[in-house]
Amino acid sequence: QQPVQSPQAVILREGEDAVINCSSSKALYSVHWYRQKHGEAPVFLMILLKGGEQKGHEKISASFNEKKQQSSLYLTASQLSYSGTYFCGTPRRMGSGNTPLVFGKGTRLSVIA
Amino acid sequence: DGGITQSPKYLFRKEGQNVTLSCEQNLNHDAMYWYRQDPGQGLRLIYYSQIVNDFQKGDIAEGYSVSREKKESFPLTVTSAQKNPTAFYLCASSTLVSGNTIYFGEGSWLTVV
């Protein structure tokens, strides 16, 4: 099942904060976050593994709530370079071993000056 | 430099023709994937392979075919049976470690004329 992302789109002014949510109808082992500029490859941001550990990358951080089957991506003090579409991906099936990711439909983030 | 190379970047196809998109990786990854991206649809899995000479259908495999004769290569053929092939195609790869990151190529734009 495809994870559900919200909001679908958001417009920010430079310096503002944003939260992007990703929820699943099934238990999650991990959540992967990517950012994509138009016409380019998605770029890996971070992975959240079962255990609730919060990961961070400069001014972008994320949390993972196993009970709620949800992950949130936090962008603080947004910069123009943060513009793009953000995708979350979750394992296609549970169990051991590698499995492809199923991606949400994406959240389009636009940062304006 | 290590990475995933897709070619061609842009491709035009006449209706009724088969076309093959190339994907090569030098990351020594065992798993390779093909995703299709349409506006507002996120990334949808077409096929994936975890070992040479073996591959699995994804969520939208109809009208597509793949081969995995070498570890580093995973070409995708878009056949004439694919009714709406115009899209952005992304190849990706990863190790077989559970929860490991998927890395994407730069993508190929296919347009049917």
mmCIF file of all heavy atoms in Angstrom, chain B residues 1 7 11 19 23 27 42 44-45 48-50 53 62 65 67 70-71 74 80 86 88 92-93 95-96 109-110:
data_model
loop_
_atom_site.group_PDB
_atom_site.id
_atom_site.type_symbol
_atom_site.label_atom_id
_atom_site.label_comp_id
_atom_site.label_asym_id
_atom_site.label_seq_id
_atom_site.Cartn_x
_atom_site.Cartn_y
_atom_site.Cartn_z
ATOM 1 N N ASP B 1 33.977 7.866 -10.996
ATOM 2 C CA ASP B 1 33.003 8.040 -9.922
ATOM 3 C C ASP B 1 31.966 6.938 -9.978
ATOM 4 O O ASP B 1 31.556 6.509 -11.048
ATOM 5 C CB ASP B 1 32.289 9.387 -10.086
ATOM 6 C CG ASP B 1 33.184 10.555 -9.692
ATOM 7 O OD1 ASP B 1 34.240 10.281 -9.134
ATOM 8 O OD2 ASP B 1 32.796 11.686 -9.942
ATOM 9 N N SER B 7 20.526 5.866 -20.058
ATOM 10 C CA SER B 7 20.549 6.463 -21.389
ATOM 11 C C SER B 7 19.440 5.858 -22.238
ATOM 12 O O SER B 7 19.051 4.706 -22.038
ATOM 13 C CB SER B 7 21.913 6.235 -22.063
ATOM 14 O OG SER B 7 22.152 4.858 -22.234
ATOM 15 N N LEU B 11 13.968 10.454 -25.265
ATOM 16 C CA LEU B 11 13.672 9.499 -26.316
ATOM 17 C C LEU B 11 12.257 9.719 -26.822
ATOM 18 O O LEU B 11 11.325 9.861 -26.036
ATOM 19 C CB LEU B 11 13.818 8.074 -25.775
ATOM 20 C CG LEU B 11 13.648 6.927 -26.759
ATOM 21 C CD1 LEU B 11 14.697 7.000 -27.858
ATOM 22 C CD2 LEU B 11 13.739 5.589 -26.022
ATOM 23 N N VAL B 19 10.902 0.262 -27.426
ATOM 24 C CA VAL B 19 12.132 0.996 -27.144
ATOM 25 C C VAL B 19 12.774 0.417 -25.903
ATOM 26 O O VAL B 19 12.083 -0.094 -25.015
ATOM 27 C CB VAL B 19 11.885 2.510 -26.926
ATOM 28 C CG1 VAL B 19 11.434 3.159 -28.210
ATOM 29 C CG2 VAL B 19 10.906 2.738 -25.808
ATOM 30 N N CYS B 23 20.305 1.027 -18.347
ATOM 31 C CA CYS B 23 20.670 1.373 -16.980
ATOM 32 C C CYS B 23 21.904 0.572 -16.600
ATOM 33 O O CYS B 23 21.881 -0.667 -16.643
ATOM 34 C CB CYS B 23 19.533 1.086 -16.018
ATOM 35 S SG CYS B 23 19.965 1.445 -14.299
ATOM 36 N N LEU B 27 28.238 0.475 -8.753
ATOM 37 C CA LEU B 27 28.252 0.527 -7.298
ATOM 38 C C LEU B 27 28.364 -0.858 -6.675
ATOM 39 O O LEU B 27 28.348 -0.991 -5.451
ATOM 40 C CB LEU B 27 26.962 1.202 -6.804
ATOM 41 C CG LEU B 27 26.756 2.641 -7.302
ATOM 42 C CD1 LEU B 27 25.337 3.114 -7.001
ATOM 43 C CD2 LEU B 27 27.786 3.561 -6.659
ATOM 44 N N GLY B 42 3.684 10.247 -8.040
ATOM 45 C CA GLY B 42 4.824 9.697 -7.325
ATOM 46 C C GLY B 42 5.587 8.720 -8.200
ATOM 47 O O GLY B 42 5.518 8.769 -9.428
ATOM 48 N N ARG B 44 6.241 4.803 -9.247
ATOM 49 C CA ARG B 44 5.595 3.493 -9.218
ATOM 50 C C ARG B 44 6.551 2.435 -9.744
ATOM 51 O O ARG B 44 7.196 2.617 -10.767
ATOM 52 C CB ARG B 44 4.301 3.521 -10.034
ATOM 53 C CG ARG B 44 3.220 4.400 -9.419
ATOM 54 C CD ARG B 44 1.929 4.343 -10.212
ATOM 55 N NE ARG B 44 2.067 4.995 -11.509
ATOM 56 C CZ ARG B 44 1.164 4.902 -12.482
ATOM 57 N NH1 ARG B 44 0.075 4.167 -12.314
ATOM 58 N NH2 ARG B 44 1.340 5.531 -13.628
ATOM 59 N N LEU B 45 6.605 1.303 -9.056
ATOM 60 C CA LEU B 45 7.564 0.248 -9.348
ATOM 61 C C LEU B 45 7.117 -0.583 -10.545
ATOM 62 O O LEU B 45 6.010 -1.112 -10.564
ATOM 63 C CB LEU B 45 7.716 -0.651 -8.110
ATOM 64 C CG LEU B 45 8.716 -1.789 -8.195
ATOM 65 C CD1 LEU B 45 10.143 -1.236 -8.285
ATOM 66 C CD2 LEU B 45 8.571 -2.706 -6.982
ATOM 67 N N TYR B 48 11.849 -5.235 -10.621
ATOM 68 C CA TYR B 48 13.059 -5.202 -9.843
ATOM 69 C C TYR B 48 13.771 -6.547 -9.916
ATOM 70 O O TYR B 48 13.162 -7.566 -10.234
ATOM 71 C CB TYR B 48 12.802 -4.784 -8.395
ATOM 72 C CG TYR B 48 12.006 -5.759 -7.566
ATOM 73 C CD1 TYR B 48 12.608 -6.628 -6.676
ATOM 74 C CD2 TYR B 48 10.607 -5.758 -7.640
ATOM 75 C CE1 TYR B 48 11.869 -7.494 -5.891
ATOM 76 C CE2 TYR B 48 9.857 -6.616 -6.869
ATOM 77 C CZ TYR B 48 10.479 -7.477 -5.990
ATOM 78 O OH TYR B 48 9.736 -8.334 -5.220
ATOM 79 N N SER B 49 15.058 -6.504 -9.616
ATOM 80 C CA SER B 49 15.882 -7.704 -9.684
ATOM 81 C C SER B 49 16.842 -7.696 -8.505
ATOM 82 O O SER B 49 17.435 -6.671 -8.184
ATOM 83 C CB SER B 49 16.674 -7.716 -10.995
ATOM 84 O OG SER B 49 17.687 -8.704 -10.983
ATOM 85 N N GLN B 50 16.992 -8.837 -7.872
ATOM 86 C CA GLN B 50 17.902 -8.932 -6.739
ATOM 87 C C GLN B 50 19.096 -9.823 -7.026
ATOM 88 O O GLN B 50 20.023 -9.913 -6.207
ATOM 89 C CB GLN B 50 17.153 -9.443 -5.508
ATOM 90 C CG GLN B 50 16.083 -8.461 -5.041
ATOM 91 C CD GLN B 50 15.370 -8.911 -3.784
ATOM 92 O OE1 GLN B 50 15.110 -10.093 -3.600
ATOM 93 N NE2 GLN B 50 15.035 -7.966 -2.921
ATOM 94 N N ASN B 53 19.975 -12.870 -13.654
ATOM 95 C CA ASN B 53 19.088 -13.846 -14.301
ATOM 96 C C ASN B 53 17.784 -14.081 -13.551
ATOM 97 O O ASN B 53 17.110 -15.103 -13.775
ATOM 98 C CB ASN B 53 19.800 -15.179 -14.533
ATOM 99 C CG ASN B 53 20.904 -15.065 -15.578
ATOM 100 O OD1 ASN B 53 20.761 -14.329 -16.554
ATOM 101 N ND2 ASN B 53 21.995 -15.764 -15.359
ATOM 102 N N GLU B 62 2.780 -4.479 -16.628
ATOM 103 C CA GLU B 62 2.168 -4.764 -17.930
ATOM 104 C C GLU B 62 2.676 -3.821 -19.011
ATOM 105 O O GLU B 62 2.665 -2.608 -18.852
ATOM 106 C CB GLU B 62 0.649 -4.652 -17.836
ATOM 107 C CG GLU B 62 -0.061 -5.047 -19.124
ATOM 108 C CD GLU B 62 -1.569 -5.041 -18.971
ATOM 109 O OE1 GLU B 62 -2.059 -4.869 -17.837
ATOM 110 O OE2 GLU B 62 -2.252 -5.200 -20.000
ATOM 111 N N SER B 65 9.213 -5.093 -20.247
ATOM 112 C CA SER B 65 10.012 -6.290 -20.034
ATOM 113 C C SER B 65 11.418 -5.867 -19.631
ATOM 114 O O SER B 65 11.861 -4.755 -19.931
ATOM 115 C CB SER B 65 10.062 -7.171 -21.287
ATOM 116 O OG SER B 65 10.747 -6.506 -22.331
ATOM 117 N N SER B 67 15.629 -7.515 -18.445
ATOM 118 C CA SER B 67 16.570 -8.624 -18.404
ATOM 119 C C SER B 67 17.664 -8.265 -17.415
ATOM 120 O O SER B 67 17.904 -7.083 -17.135
ATOM 121 C CB SER B 67 17.163 -8.903 -19.793
ATOM 122 O OG SER B 67 17.905 -7.783 -20.248
ATOM 123 N N LYS B 70 23.736 -9.296 -16.569
ATOM 124 C CA LYS B 70 24.944 -8.912 -15.844
ATOM 125 C C LYS B 70 24.540 -8.166 -14.583
ATOM 126 O O LYS B 70 23.511 -7.472 -14.558
ATOM 127 C CB LYS B 70 25.831 -8.011 -16.714
ATOM 128 C CG LYS B 70 26.330 -8.645 -17.988
ATOM 129 C CD LYS B 70 27.301 -7.714 -18.721
ATOM 130 C CE LYS B 70 26.622 -6.439 -19.148
ATOM 131 N NZ LYS B 70 27.543 -5.536 -19.904
ATOM 132 N N LYS B 71 25.358 -8.253 -13.567
ATOM 133 C CA LYS B 71 25.049 -7.599 -12.292
ATOM 134 C C LYS B 71 24.902 -6.091 -12.460
ATOM 135 O O LYS B 71 24.071 -5.464 -11.822
ATOM 136 C CB LYS B 71 26.159 -7.904 -11.287
ATOM 137 C CG LYS B 71 25.913 -7.357 -9.900
ATOM 138 C CD LYS B 71 27.031 -7.778 -8.963
ATOM 139 C CE LYS B 71 26.800 -7.246 -7.561
ATOM 140 N NZ LYS B 71 27.860 -7.684 -6.623
ATOM 141 N N PHE B 74 20.658 -3.441 -16.195
ATOM 142 C CA PHE B 74 19.249 -3.808 -16.015
ATOM 143 C C PHE B 74 18.415 -2.998 -17.018
ATOM 144 O O PHE B 74 17.708 -2.056 -16.654
ATOM 145 C CB PHE B 74 18.830 -3.502 -14.580
ATOM 146 C CG PHE B 74 17.501 -4.089 -14.173
ATOM 147 C CD1 PHE B 74 17.112 -5.356 -14.549
ATOM 148 C CD2 PHE B 74 16.631 -3.353 -13.355
ATOM 149 C CE1 PHE B 74 15.899 -5.904 -14.144
ATOM 150 C CE2 PHE B 74 15.410 -3.885 -12.945
ATOM 151 C CZ PHE B 74 15.045 -5.159 -13.340
ATOM 152 N N SER B 80 5.155 -2.189 -27.340
ATOM 153 C CA SER B 80 3.996 -1.543 -27.965
ATOM 154 C C SER B 80 2.708 -1.852 -27.199
ATOM 155 O O SER B 80 1.689 -1.199 -27.409
ATOM 156 C CB SER B 80 3.860 -2.007 -29.420
ATOM 157 O OG SER B 80 3.781 -3.419 -29.479
ATOM 158 N N THR B 86 4.297 7.448 -22.248
ATOM 159 C CA THR B 86 4.938 8.747 -22.048
ATOM 160 C C THR B 86 5.089 9.009 -20.557
ATOM 161 O O THR B 86 4.098 9.104 -19.826
ATOM 162 C CB THR B 86 4.109 9.863 -22.698
ATOM 163 O OG1 THR B 86 4.095 9.671 -24.113
ATOM 164 C CG2 THR B 86 4.710 11.227 -22.383
ATOM 165 N N PHE B 88 8.449 9.740 -17.198
ATOM 166 C CA PHE B 88 9.831 9.846 -16.756
ATOM 167 C C PHE B 88 10.193 8.521 -16.098
ATOM 168 O O PHE B 88 9.509 8.082 -15.173
ATOM 169 C CB PHE B 88 9.943 11.010 -15.767
ATOM 170 C CG PHE B 88 11.345 11.380 -15.369
ATOM 171 C CD1 PHE B 88 12.345 11.518 -16.310
ATOM 172 C CD2 PHE B 88 11.655 11.632 -14.038
ATOM 173 C CE1 PHE B 88 13.631 11.882 -15.950
ATOM 174 C CE2 PHE B 88 12.938 12.011 -13.657
ATOM 175 C CZ PHE B 88 13.927 12.125 -14.603
ATOM 176 N N ALA B 92 17.155 2.522 -10.426
ATOM 177 C CA ALA B 92 17.742 2.650 -9.106
ATOM 178 C C ALA B 92 18.445 1.363 -8.719
ATOM 179 O O ALA B 92 18.227 0.311 -9.334
ATOM 180 C CB ALA B 92 16.667 2.999 -8.075
ATOM 181 N N SER B 93 19.291 1.447 -7.689
ATOM 182 C CA SER B 93 19.970 0.255 -7.219
ATOM 183 C C SER B 93 20.213 0.359 -5.720
ATOM 184 O O SER B 93 20.168 1.452 -5.142
ATOM 185 C CB SER B 93 21.285 0.034 -7.968
ATOM 186 O OG SER B 93 22.255 1.001 -7.604
ATOM 187 N N THR B 95 22.023 -2.206 -2.148
ATOM 188 C CA THR B 95 22.536 -3.483 -1.677
ATOM 189 C C THR B 95 21.345 -4.321 -1.216
ATOM 190 O O THR B 95 20.199 -3.857 -1.239
ATOM 191 C CB THR B 95 23.500 -3.296 -0.502
ATOM 192 O OG1 THR B 95 22.758 -2.836 0.632
ATOM 193 C CG2 THR B 95 24.588 -2.291 -0.842
ATOM 194 N N LEU B 96 21.606 -5.526 -0.751
ATOM 195 C CA LEU B 96 20.533 -6.400 -0.285
ATOM 196 C C LEU B 96 20.309 -6.298 1.216
ATOM 197 O O LEU B 96 19.510 -7.038 1.767
ATOM 198 C CB LEU B 96 20.825 -7.857 -0.677
ATOM 199 C CG LEU B 96 20.684 -8.175 -2.162
ATOM 200 C CD1 LEU B 96 21.079 -9.617 -2.428
ATOM 201 C CD2 LEU B 96 19.267 -7.913 -2.653
ATOM 202 N N TRP B 109 13.490 10.502 -20.154
ATOM 203 C CA TRP B 109 12.178 10.988 -20.566
ATOM 204 C C TRP B 109 11.780 10.280 -21.846
ATOM 205 O O TRP B 109 12.482 10.356 -22.840
ATOM 206 C CB TRP B 109 12.222 12.499 -20.834
ATOM 207 C CG TRP B 109 12.413 13.353 -19.627
ATOM 208 C CD1 TRP B 109 13.578 13.823 -19.119
ATOM 209 C CD2 TRP B 109 11.363 13.862 -18.801
ATOM 210 N NE1 TRP B 109 13.325 14.601 -18.010
ATOM 211 C CE2 TRP B 109 11.986 14.650 -17.793
ATOM 212 C CE3 TRP B 109 9.974 13.744 -18.805
ATOM 213 C CZ2 TRP B 109 11.257 15.304 -16.796
ATOM 214 C CZ3 TRP B 109 9.253 14.402 -17.817
ATOM 215 C CH2 TRP B 109 9.893 15.155 -16.829
ATOM 216 N N LEU B 110 10.646 9.602 -21.809
ATOM 217 C CA LEU B 110 10.133 8.931 -23.001
ATOM 218 C C LEU B 110 8.845 9.622 -23.429
ATOM 219 O O LEU B 110 7.929 9.790 -22.634
ATOM 220 C CB LEU B 110 9.856 7.461 -22.717
ATOM 221 C CG LEU B 110 9.163 6.672 -23.843
ATOM 222 C CD1 LEU B 110 10.038 6.642 -25.095
ATOM 223 C CD2 LEU B 110 8.826 5.257 -23.391
#
